[in-house]
Amino acid sequence: MTSAKSRADNVFSQDRNQIRRFYLESWRKARERLPMEPLEQLVADVVAEHPEYHALLENEAAVGYDFRGELGQTNPFLHMGMHIALREQISTNRPPGVRAIHKRVARALGSQAEAEHAMMDCLAEALWTAQQTGGAPDEQRYLQALKELERRVTSKR
């Protein structure tokens, strides 16, 4: 039997297939109404909000599939992973202020999910820049991008 710690390690792993299996397993447990660890529940909640990915996540072949952005394919694991990352940021309010920005953006856009979708572009840019420079994401630059997003969406109201 796998321990809760080793299951959680799978989602934080650098191994793409381990991470993807964690998504499939969390979704299976949710469908079968089995007990879940908090991280499994978080993943299952995000998957539940994306019915367009359900069939994919019920197929073991999804683990090894290469989603090609240049062919117009969206990587559902990356998309859902961004939701999870944002929810973790919001729950811990890290960087400081992200929770309040999310709340105001959600109010302006009409839902928490829409706010997360809007905020994903800022997060993706911060992660891409960090990857290109080989450093950690610049929290202040990321927070500034989120504030700009907030100004754009709240000024439309």
Side-chain angles (χ1 to χ4, degrees):
M1 183 168 179
T2 309
S3 73
K5 181 183 177 342
S6 64
R7 285 193 304 270
D9 288 345
N10 286 341
V11 81
F12 297 114
S13 165
Q14 294 297 315
D15 183 303
R16 178 186 85 169
N17 291 351
Q18 280 185 332
I19 295 166
R20 289 178 175 190
R21 281 191 182 88
F22 188 84
Y23 277 76
L24 271 64
E25 180 65 9
S26 298
W27 182 234
R28 182 192 65 77
K29 284 181 160 184
R31 289 189 333 268
E32 295 177 9
R33 300 191 193 307
L34 296 172
M36 289 188 276
E37 298 295 325
L39 186 56
E40 291 171 321
Q41 186 63 59
L42 175 60
V43 169
D45 290 346
V46 170
V47 172
E49 295 170 10
H50 291 82
E52 68 274 23
Y53 301 147
H54 290 179
L56 176 77
L57 292 170
E58 294 167 13
N59 182 348
E60 180 67 24
V63 169
Y65 190 77
D66 287 322
F67 299 93
R68 309 279 307 254
E70 65 272 16
L71 299 178
Q73 297 174 326
T74 298
N75 181 334
F77 296 102
L78 176 59
H79 178 85
M80 291 183 292
M82 298 283 272
H83 276 287
I84 291 165
L86 285 165
R87 289 178 188 189
E88 288 296 308
Q89 289 177 352
I90 293 159
S91 75
T92 61
N93 197 34
R94 171 102 191 210
V98 71
R99 183 182 298 141
I101 291 170
H102 175 260
K103 185 176 182 177
R104 291 186 293 267
V105 171
R107 190 178 318 121
L109 296 178
S111 77
Q112 291 185 3
E114 287 306 313
E116 289 173 11
H117 283 127
M119 293 169 71
M120 275 184 199
D121 289 336
C122 300
L123 179 57
E125 177 67 25
L127 294 173
W128 184 85
T129 300
Q131 184 181 34
Q132 297 305 304
T133 62
D138 182 334
E139 284 189 352
Q140 292 310 307
R141 189 171 175 184
Y142 171 56
L143 198 56
Q144 188 59 41
L146 290 173
K147 289 176 182 177
E148 288 295 322
L149 167 68
E150 177 187 359
R151 277 193 277 283
R152 283 194 312 272
V153 300
T154 57
S155 69
K156 294 179 182 179
R157 289 176 39 163

